[in-house]
Amino acid sequence: MTGIELLLRQPITGVLDASPIKPRSLDPQGIGEVENLQVEVSGQQVSLAELFQVRATSVSAWVVQGDLPNSIRWGCGLKQGELIIEGNVGNEVGTLMQGGDLLIRGNVGNYLACGMRRGQIVVQGNAQDFVGGAMPGQRRGMSGGCVIVRGNVGDRAGDRMRRGTLLVGGDVGDYCASRMIAGTIAIWGKVGSQLGVMMRRGTVWAPQLDPNMIPLSFSQPQVVLLPHLMLWYRSLVTQDERFKSFVHREPMVTRWFGDLGSQGLGEIVSPI
Amino acid sequence: MFINRIEIEDTFAEAFGMKVTRLIITALEPHWARRAAEAVTGFATSVIACGVEAAIETKLEPSQTPDGRPGYSVLFFSVSTKELEKQIPRRIGQCVLTCPSTALFSGMQGERQIGLGGKIRYFGDGYQLSKIIEGKRYWRIPVMDGEFLCEDTTAVCPAVGGGNFLIIAADQRACLHACDMAAAAIEPLAGVIAPFFGSATRSGSKVGSKYKSLPASTNEAYCPSLRTVVPSRLESQDGAVLEVVIDGLTEEMVAQAMRLGIEAVCRLGPEGGIRKITAGNYGGKLGQYHFHLHKVLA
């Protein structure tokens, strides 16, 4: 199997739809096939070779070199393989992903991982609004997989999220976990206002939680022991070393149940 | 064949194909995990009337369990996946869910899955929650000491049940001591259980009965008290017979357990009251696995 490196020739004028760029197994003769791959820039079809210098590499991943803030839909519908982007990218990254790994070393725009089903996305920088939410027009957000954002995320993270895990290394904006159906969101930093509003089920885990950010429609806080967190902490140690400090602790948390105006089985927990 | 002057009869133990699953029970304290493990494997000596044959397989250190707490692994054998599916939820619902601080996990991997937490989650009466962690679903059932955590399903795999050997001794005391020796030799082995208490049963059975409703009845050929009135397999000095029964994940595991058990008994020698080792079979027509004692001990 041969990997590919795409080196940006010059900054792109217009918006690049990167959804056709998906890693797959290639023999050495497959380079030409990649060079001729048609992508859209502001609605115009161009070959990949016009935008990027394409090189074969010995690693299996496809690596994109360059800053691409005006590119969208990287890894959209990705099913397998590993795609690494060494820079900033725009909106709709990793939407509808069904497998594989996506690593973005810069920042990403809105709608990261919307409608994602399987696979893993790691963003080394920040992400904007609606991380793990629903695709426009859809009723349910991400339904599986794992999204890790090392930096901060914007508003409405996990909106209508159905299943899967979202780990945020930094802060989250307002309305995080709003209308959440199920799944787990871990937030290491601060949370914005209206956390979990209209949440039905699912878990928000936040060690730096400010109780003032929890809507009044949640229950009173209660200290409880949650055994499943032992498994959860252990499973996440490889993703974030900070979980290591929780592995050998008794999994006691302060918990708020809610949103009592909806199904009311969601939980916001803060480890003690 | 003789081992330490004990005759090993040239016969075979007849064993059957079974289905098995392994469960891991953990608790805050080891003795609470032990209590749950003993309860869930109680009344599970024989599939004839218990539905399953079950026992504790081994004690687990916190580093060996999914949640880092002390625990026990238990093995359940049954004649079919359907029967396991019927018996397991009933047992865990009454014996593990009820035991304070416990959690329950599957200890076996395989394609064929049966319900575990998925079957007893309704005890939560709508307050039960599920979490998927590393691709496995767990149920969190609210109970009076917090939450009972239980994996959704467990795998079922093919196994071998009914490996056995019979210890013929001069008297009951010698026979009991021999069983203790056999049990101690078999206990450390992974993947096998001896489902009867202390590894042995005194009510070794034959298939059928003069009473139509009974599927099995006493094996009179090995009953010392009937020696003079039935075609007996015992000699005049044989005072007691006990049968060690072994179920295992594989044929090799059962054979190894039989070998270690027989060797432990034979170490007692004739001076320990041991007279002969033989095995139980049904003429070779019922079970697909034949453990020839001479081959097992070769």
Side-chain angles (χ1 to χ4, degrees):
Chain A
M1 186 172 175
T2 305
I4 294 287
E5 190 173 33
L6 302 174
L7 291 101
L8 186 64
R9 293 183 189 276
Q10 57 191 25
I12 298 169
T13 311
V15 177
L16 164 66
D17 179 353
S19 57
I21 306 171
K22 293 193 180 91
R24 59 183 184 276
S25 293
L26 284 176
D27 53 33
Q29 289 75 39
I31 295 289
E33 197 184 306
V34 178
E35 285 176 329
N36 292 329
L37 190 69
Q38 296 294 300
V39 291
E40 272 188 17
V41 176
S42 295
Q44 300 295 312
Q45 294 280 333
V46 294
S47 69
L48 205 58
E50 290 178 48
L51 306 174
F52 296 93
Q53 187 186 340
V54 182
R55 288 202 311 219
T57 61
S58 56
V59 295
S60 59
W62 285 30
V63 182
V64 183
Q65 302 281 3
D67 200 30
L68 296 147
N70 53 343
S71 62
I72 60 168
R73 306 183 74 203
W74 286 96
C76 173
L78 185 68
K79 287 182 180 166
Q80 58 179 354
E82 187 179 4
L83 179 60
I84 300 170
I85 301 161
E86 303 277 357
N88 301 312
V89 289
N91 296 340
E92 296 182 48
V93 173
T95 49
L96 303 171
M97 238 173 90
Q98 295 178 53
D101 292 282
L102 182 57
L103 169 63
I104 295 113
R105 296 213 196 267
N107 301 321
V108 302
N110 298 314
Y111 302 110
L112 170 71
C114 280
M116 178 183 181
R117 291 185 213 162
R118 275 183 290 275
Q120 179 170 285
I121 301 175
V122 178
V123 177
Q124 302 281 28
N126 303 319
Q128 291 179 12
D129 300 343
F130 285 101
V131 175
M135 289 294 286
Q138 296 299 309
R139 293 174 61 197
R140 290 177 171 181
M142 69 181 279
S143 58
C146 182
V147 180
I148 301 165
V149 181
R150 304 278 181 215
N152 304 322
V153 304
D155 297 339
R156 295 276 184 187
D159 179 53
R160 289 191 279 186
M161 182 172 167
R162 174 67 183 86
R163 202 176 286 137
T165 305
L166 168 59
L167 302 183
V168 182
D171 303 337
V172 297
D174 298 338
Y175 294 95
C176 176
S178 56
R179 304 182 286 183
M180 188 175 179
I181 303 163
T184 306
I185 303 176
I187 305 153
W188 283 101
K190 293 175 184 148
V191 300
S193 65
Q194 297 297 321
L195 175 67
V197 67
M198 294 178 72
M199 183 180 182
R200 292 170 56 191
R201 284 181 282 127
T203 305
V204 176
W205 179 92
Q208 289 193 50
L209 185 67
D210 175 1
N212 294 321
M213 296 300 170
I214 298 173
L216 294 172
S217 49
F218 271 67
S219 71
Q220 289 297 306
Q222 186 189 356
V223 174
V224 292
L225 180 78
L226 300 182
H228 78 281
L229 289 176
M230 300 285 275
L231 307 184
W232 190 68
Y233 292 145
R234 283 160 172 247
S235 73
L236 293 172
V237 163
T238 51
Q239 310 291 1
D240 193 321
E241 285 212 335
R242 286 177 285 186
F243 283 107
K244 220 181 240 177
S245 63
F246 292 94
V247 166
H248 299 292
R249 273 199 236 168
E250 208 175 26
M252 296 295 289
V253 296
T254 305
R255 176 166 73 175
W256 291 258
F257 254 128
D259 183 326
L260 300 175
S262 300
Q263 195 174 347
L265 288 176
E267 53 183 0
I268 297 172
V269 300
S270 187
I272 296 169
Chain B
M1 182 183 200
F2 286 83
I3 297 177
N4 195 23
R5 293 168 289 137
I6 305 292
E7 186 190 348
I8 311 296
E9 205 170 41
D10 188 9
T11 184
F12 62 90
E14 194 170 346
F16 304 86
M18 293 184 100
K19 300 292 180 189
V20 66
T21 189
R22 178 191 279 124
L23 301 181
I24 294 171
I25 299 165
T26 67
L28 203 57
E29 303 288 346
H31 62 277
W32 283 105
R34 173 102 201 171
R35 284 168 181 160
E38 284 174 346
V40 81
T41 57
F43 185 59
T45 52
S46 168
V47 290
I48 293 172
C50 306
V52 289
E53 295 180 5
I56 292 174
E57 182 190 20
T58 188
K59 184 181 179 182
L60 299 171
E61 295 302 321
S63 60
Q64 297 172 297
T65 62
D67 62 356
R69 303 193 301 170
Y72 284 86
S73 73
V74 290
L75 290 173
F76 290 87
F77 293 80
S78 193
V79 291
S80 66
T81 304
K82 198 176 170 186
E83 188 63 24
L84 272 180
E85 210 160 14
K86 182 176 150 194
Q87 294 287 338
I88 298 282
R90 190 182 286 182
R91 286 172 176 269
I92 62 172
Q94 296 303 309
C95 306
V96 187
L97 168 69
T98 53
C99 186
S101 85
T102 57
L104 183 67
F105 306 96
S106 168
M108 191 160 267
Q109 292 182 332
E111 281 185 17
R112 183 75 172 91
Q113 300 279 321
I114 60 169
L116 204 59
K119 293 273 183 182
I120 60 166
R121 65 183 157 126
Y122 300 106
F123 182 76
D125 201 23
Y127 295 102
Q128 71 273 20
L129 300 167
S130 82
K131 272 285 160 220
I132 295 177
I133 300 171
E134 291 192 323
K136 291 180 184 174
R137 182 186 290 277
Y138 297 89
W139 286 99
R140 301 163 49 194
I141 302 169
V143 284
M144 284 159 49
D145 71 347
E147 282 188 353
F148 173 56
L149 181 65
C150 185
E151 201 165 326
D152 185 44
T153 59
T154 185
V156 174
C157 296
V160 180
N164 68 78
F165 61 91
L166 273 63
I167 304 164
I168 301 175
D171 55 44
Q172 204 178 45
R173 190 177 298 277
C175 217
L176 281 177
H177 185 53
C179 286
D180 286 338
M181 295 297 108
I186 294 166
E187 196 180 291
L189 299 178
V192 290
I193 57 164
F196 287 95
F197 10 79
S199 81
T201 175
R202 66 178 180 180
S203 58
S205 57
K206 67 176 186 295
V207 177
S209 161
K210 68 186 280 189
Y211 305 106
K212 285 180 183 172
S213 61
L214 288 184
S217 60
T218 194
N219 193 352
E220 66 267 16
Y222 287 100
C223 292
S225 59
L226 299 178
R227 194 175 55 234
T228 55
V229 291
V230 297
S232 180
R233 303 290 303 272
L234 302 178
E235 293 172 15
S236 58
Q237 298 96 325
D238 298 337
V241 183
L242 292 176
E243 181 178 351
V244 175
V245 179
I246 297 160
D247 298 334
L249 301 187
T250 65
E251 203 173 346
E252 292 73 28
M253 287 176 177
V254 173
Q256 187 198 16
M258 284 177 64
R259 181 171 57 78
L260 293 177
I262 293 170
E263 284 173 353
V265 172
C266 289
R267 272 195 287 277
L268 296 170
E271 52 278 14
I274 309 303
R275 295 185 47 76
K276 195 197 264 187
I277 300 293
T278 183
N281 64 60
Y282 313 97
K285 290 175 185 170
L286 294 179
Q288 64 195 101
Y289 299 100
H290 296 169
F291 294 95
H292 292 267
L293 295 185
H294 288 189
K295 279 187 191 169
V296 164
L297 293 163

